[in-house]
Amino acid sequence: MDPTNCDFSPMKQTLKEELLQVIMSLQQSVEAMDTDTNCLLGNFEKIKEKFVMIEMKAATFYLNCYLSPFTEKYPELSHCVQNMSTRRHGGLIVIERKDSLASLIQPGIHIGAEVTHSLLESIFFPGNPLHDGAVLVSQNLIESAANVLPLSDRYTGEKKLGTRHRAALGLSEISDALVMVVSEETGRISFAFKGNLYPITTHGII
């Protein structure tokens, strides 16, 4: 990533302020344990939710930073995954960065068209013959669809990841590609990068 494309200062300041709010809430919970006889589980749940929102906000910001040097189509990608999330249409979109992916994926069907959210959404529409594989985006073009990615063997807690998420992680473990995933079960949007999977917000990610 070219750091000149992203000003990290405002995001760091926002995260700092929100983390300080969480610390304050934790401190209040500790103090309440000495005087309050009520159950504190509700407080813990609110604090946990706040942590999740902070993580998702940061991941959304960094997603844009990781993509901006390599494609101008971030708004189209954002629009696409938000629409797919709402409809719970599963999807897997690979954005090629510096590393060549030619030897790392099993090629699918050549597309060679400009990235638009409507074309991406139509590819992943349930029943479309191309919807099960991964779309490969290089710069501003949809190079191909129905690509097969290497699968990761990683577990998250006690639950094994679904095939799309394993594929996203698998490619990100062996390349600098960024892979966006939409879960058809939950509609949740994530991205895989350098062997890690990050949830992102479903609204306002442009």
Side-chain angles (χ1 to χ4, degrees), residues 115-132:
V115 173
T116 65
H117 71 87
S118 56
L119 178 54
L120 286 169
E121 290 170 46
S122 68
I123 290 172
F124 289 115
F125 193 85
N128 186 314
L130 305 180
H131 88 282
D132 274 337

Side-chain angles (χ1 to χ4, degrees), residues 18-36:
E18 294 187 359
L19 286 171
L20 287 173
Q21 291 175 9
V22 170
I23 292 171
M24 184 179 298
S25 297
L26 287 169
Q27 183 63 42
Q28 290 171 350
S29 295
V30 170
E31 293 172 357
M33 293 176 72
D34 292 330
T35 58
D36 196 341

Side-chain angles (χ1 to χ4, degrees), residues 5-191:
N5 284 287
C6 292
D7 181 0
F8 293 94
S9 299
M11 174 54 67
K12 287 183 177 179
Q13 182 61 34
T14 297
L15 295 179
K16 182 178 179 180
E17 292 171 358
E18 294 187 359
L19 286 171
L20 287 173
Q21 291 175 9
V22 170
I23 292 171
M24 184 179 298
S25 297
L26 287 169
Q27 183 63 42
Q28 290 171 350
S29 295
V30 170
E31 293 172 357
M33 293 176 72
D34 292 330
T35 58
D36 196 341
T37 58
N38 295 324
C39 178
L40 295 175
L41 291 178
N43 292 352
F44 297 156
E45 186 64 27
K46 290 178 182 178
I47 292 170
K48 182 173 70 174
E49 290 174 357
K50 185 65 176 177
F51 265 122
V52 171
M53 289 306 300
I54 291 172
E55 177 191 20
M56 293 175 72
K57 183 180 292 186
T60 301
F61 172 78
Y62 286 110
L63 172 63
N64 191 3
C65 292
Y66 294 145
L67 289 182
S68 59
F70 300 96
T71 179
E72 298 172 355
K73 297 298 184 176
Y74 176 75
E76 293 292 328
L77 293 168
S78 171
H79 195 170
C80 166
V81 294
Q82 289 191 70
N83 287 342
M84 290 171 61
S85 172
T86 300
R87 299 170 185 144
R88 293 199 177 182
H89 291 173
L92 191 60
I93 303 173
V94 176
I95 296 90
E96 188 174 41
R97 298 172 84 248
K98 292 180 180 179
D99 294 344
S100 172
L101 304 179
S103 64
L104 302 178
I105 65 176
Q106 296 180 32
I109 305 301
H110 178 69
I111 303 294
E114 184 176 354
V115 173
T116 65
H117 71 87
S118 56
L119 178 54
L120 286 169
E121 290 170 46
S122 68
I123 290 172
F124 289 115
F125 193 85
N128 186 314
L130 305 180
H131 88 282
D132 274 337
V135 161
L136 174 61
V137 172
S138 181
Q139 296 183 352
N140 298 324
L141 293 180
I142 300 173
E143 291 287 349
S144 53
N147 300 285
V148 178
L149 310 185
L151 299 181
S152 173
D153 293 325
R154 185 180 307 183
Y155 285 76
T156 299
E158 298 179 354
K159 183 178 179 182
K160 193 165 186 178
L161 294 167
T163 303
R164 283 194 179 95
H165 293 83
R166 288 176 61 205
L169 273 176
L171 185 61
S172 76
E173 288 169 350
I174 57 175
S175 74
D176 72 344
L178 188 147
V179 190
M180 302 179 73
V181 191
V182 182
S183 168
E184 64 182 289
E185 289 81 14
T186 65
R188 193 173 190 182
I189 306 169
S190 306
F191 74 90

